[in-house]
Amino acid sequence: MVPFAGWSMPIQYKDTIMDSTLNCRSNGSLFDVSHMCGLSLTGSQAIPFLESLVVADVAALKDGTGTLTVFTNDRGGAIDDSVVTKVTDKHVYLVVNAGCRDKDLAHIGAHMEAFNKKGGDVKWHVHDERSLLALQGPLAAPTLQLLTKEDLSKMYFSDFKMIDINGYACFLTRTGYTGEDGFEISVPSENAVDLAKALLEKSEGKVRLTGLGARDSLRLEAGLCLYGNDMEQHITPVEAGLSWAIGKRRKAEGGFLGADVILKQLQEGPKIRRVGLISQGPPPRSHSEIVSNSGENIGEVTSGGFSPCLKKNIAMGYVKSGLHKAGTEFKVVVRGKSYDAVVTKMPFVPTKYYKPS
Amino acid sequence: MALWACRAASYLRISSFPRAFSTVLKDLKYADTHEWVKVEGDSATIGISDHAQDHLGDVVYVELPEVGTSVSQGKNFGAVESVKATSDINAPVSGEILQVNDELSEKPGFVNGSPYDKGWIIKVKISDPNELNSLMDDEKYKKFCEEEDGTH
């Protein structure tokens, strides 16, 4: 167990990180992600308010669907990334990072107060009465289907529903942080243990409790950013390779914090870019230096490790624009020695999101 | 905090920790940074203990020093990489490196599967036999590990 953002969290349960990672991709994993912060914004102006703080076109989302988005600061840097769901015209549900909770709530709260003072109509509720479970992997849907009457085959990636699971009133989102098909289940805290037991039992032991260690390997293999490593206050969504998350209308209109910086970068191209890389030698870790073949500093690794699925070192980091194309070769420095590395398209392991065919 | 997982884990009779009873071999000496030494004449074989490999998890890379270079007691001479973490390996005794276990480049998993045998890391020519007196015997090391786990 390790302390993490004020919580006590398991790095791993009984299985090793290697076994847990492989089992998630072949069977399934259950993660306790209750440390993450669920938040509802309600009111007739919940969506215009949220759009003033994030890059997504929330208004254009169909009811009951969501997207990944980024909260920006006035310099265009990322305050946090978040999955945001438009429940209805008057209700958005979002999940923000545990490590950013205090900062995010202070940021949203201050802007909401100012917004409401000018006659806005937004209220919020932090879902501290709920726990969050992530069920991921090929057995996620068949296992969950045994506990609900809702037809899960009609629910696609990023869809959201408020439904009964095992008799508990849950918020269900078809999303995750592993690259696999799966769900995040917000469940009343008093039912969380029973739901976890039921899910593990219904899978006949194939879905395993999985800790933070494998969660990090899985998201890295899927090419997903970890806020605090791969995204920071000074990194814009464009630099982070998340321009796709900026809605078309938002690209035209702006209207979010730091829009001037971000829209300019969209036009001119960013100076640095997030890339995936595969390297030889020991696995690079965050802060490993990236140098050109002639030894000149060109960037830094932000996350890295050994991929349990590929049996290779994988990493992501930032390099100067122009050196970001797949196949570009350079070196990463680990404990003073340089090792060959090559820019590799992400995800490293193909993602398996459940989308309409 | 994150309690349901622990409660579900205990309900399912599984441990939240990878804690089995680690093996400690009798005729070896141990450093407080969890390396072992096997002394034969004036040479010493060095590796990391079962307890250490158990804490590290799956070892995926071992960074080896070069034959002919010297190591000094308590100083780092290489590293072991697991899926998530990097750990320095320190020399329990000083001396010149006679041999390194090249097989670990291909099969780093020997450190997990056979920490006292196939997972040996380097062999050195001991420069000061008195240094061995500062190391722990098996009984002392076993206690040392128990105490360290207790404080976690």
Side-chain angles (χ1 to χ4, degrees), chain B residues 75-115:
Chain B
K75 294 274 165 60
N76 153 264
F77 70 79
V80 193
E81 301 268 3
S82 64
V83 177
K84 276 283 94 60
T86 306
S87 277
D88 285 339
I89 323 169
N90 297 328
V93 287
S94 307
E96 188 194 320
I97 300 175
L98 301 171
Q99 227 181 317
V100 301
N101 187 357
D102 286 323
E103 233 185 328
L104 296 179
S105 307
E106 289 301 312
K107 293 176 175 162
F110 278 164
V111 173
N112 296 116
S114 178

Side-chain angles (χ1 to χ4, degrees), chain A residues 5-317:
Chain A
W7 298 74
S8 178
M9 298 287 294
I11 291 283
Q12 65 188 79
Y13 293 93
K14 198 179 178 187
D15 309 333
T16 66
I17 294 173
M18 189 88 84
D19 292 345
S20 281
T21 305
L22 297 173
N23 186 65
C24 180
R25 302 226 185 274
S26 56
N27 292 307
S29 284
L30 183 64
F31 305 88
D32 173 10
V33 288
S34 303
H35 59 297
M36 295 183 75
C37 176
L39 175 72
S40 279
L41 295 173
T42 54
S44 61
Q45 282 162 319
I47 291 171
F49 167 68
L50 182 61
E51 284 196 347
S52 70
L53 303 180
V54 302
V55 298
D57 188 348
V58 185
L61 291 170
K62 279 191 206 146
D63 286 6
T65 65
T67 183
L68 176 75
T69 195
V70 179
F71 280 88
T72 49
N73 58 34
D74 52 13
R75 297 176 310 284
I79 292 176
D80 198 2
D81 58 348
S82 168
V83 170
V84 51
T85 298
K86 181 179 171 187
V87 183
T88 66
D89 276 349
K90 299 181 183 63
H91 180 190
V92 282
Y93 169 69
L94 46 148
V95 177
V96 301
N97 281 303
C100 299
R101 177 190 168 116
D102 294 349
K103 177 181 80 172
D104 289 358
L105 293 183
H107 174 72
I108 298 166
H111 282 273
M112 191 169 71
E113 206 184 311
F115 187 85
N116 283 338
K117 258 190 195 152
K118 288 188 211 151
D121 170 31
V122 191
K123 284 192 274 297
W124 70 354
H125 175 74
V126 180
H127 291 288
D128 282 338
E129 76 286 1
R130 290 181 166 268
S131 296
L132 195 64
L133 276 58
L135 178 66
Q136 300 281 297
L139 294 183
T143 303
L144 187 61
Q145 190 63 77
L146 300 174
L147 296 175
T148 181
K149 286 182 190 142
E150 190 74 32
D151 182 1
L152 297 176
S153 71
K154 303 259 163 57
M155 204 178 162
Y156 298 104
F157 181 66
S158 285
D159 285 357
F160 171 92
K161 276 201 167 134
M162 292 183 175
I163 61 168
D164 263 21
I165 298 172
N166 208 31
Y168 318 131
C170 295
F171 301 169
L172 183 67
T173 316
R174 196 150 196 166
T175 188
Y177 194 46
T178 62
E180 295 297 313
D181 178 28
F183 302 88
E184 289 185 359
I185 312 166
S186 167
V187 54
S189 293
E190 64 269 26
N191 305 124
V193 174
D194 289 332
L195 180 57
K197 282 183 204 163
L199 289 166
L200 295 170
E201 274 169 11
K202 288 287 179 194
S203 82
E204 295 169 346
K206 288 180 185 151
V207 170
R208 311 273 297 170
L209 283 172
T210 305
L212 286 185
R215 188 169 166 79
D216 193 54
S217 295
L218 289 157
R219 70 92 195 165
L220 187 57
E221 289 182 339
L224 300 169
C225 289
L226 171 64
Y227 190 87
N229 277 46
D230 313 305
M231 273 175 111
E232 282 273 17
Q233 304 271 5
H234 61 277
I235 300 283
T236 72
V238 184
E239 293 162 345
L242 299 177
S243 300
W244 62 267
I246 309 172
K248 236 185 219 166
R249 177 174 59 84
R250 310 307 311 276
K251 283 177 183 164
E253 294 174 4
F256 49 88
L257 294 173
D260 48 337
V261 178
I262 289 173
L263 299 186
K264 197 174 160 214
Q265 275 192 354
L266 278 173
Q267 282 199 334
E268 297 175 359
K271 290 203 171 68
I272 56 167
R273 289 182 195 251
R274 182 170 64 99
V275 293
L277 51 100
I278 286 181
S279 71
Q280 306 300 312
R285 311 286 183 183
S286 62
H287 303 303
S288 294
E289 191 188 2
I290 302 174
V291 297
S292 66
N293 290 332
S294 59
E296 177 204 358
N297 176 297
I298 52 167
E300 193 181 80
V301 169
T302 49
S303 287
F306 183 81
S307 161
C309 293
L310 303 176
K311 313 286 180 213
K312 285 177 192 169
N313 301 328
I314 57 172
M316 49 176 102

Side-chain angles (χ1 to χ4, degrees), chain B residues 85-149:
Chain B
T86 306
S87 277
D88 285 339
I89 323 169
N90 297 328
V93 287
S94 307
E96 188 194 320
I97 300 175
L98 301 171
Q99 227 181 317
V100 301
N101 187 357
D102 286 323
E103 233 185 328
L104 296 179
S105 307
E106 289 301 312
K107 293 176 175 162
F110 278 164
V111 173
N112 296 116
S114 178
Y116 297 115
D117 183 22
K118 286 181 177 163
W120 68 275
I121 296 169
I122 58 169
K123 209 168 261 186
V124 303
K125 187 170 185 233
I126 300 172
S127 58
D128 178 6
N130 288 327
E131 284 181 350
L132 293 167
N133 299 331
S134 64
L135 300 173
M136 289 178 263
D137 64 14
D138 58 311
E139 285 300 321
K140 220 171 158 188
Y141 179 64
K142 212 181 259 179
K143 252 187 213 146
F144 177 78
C145 292
E146 281 166 15
E147 278 167 19
E148 215 183 52
D149 280 348

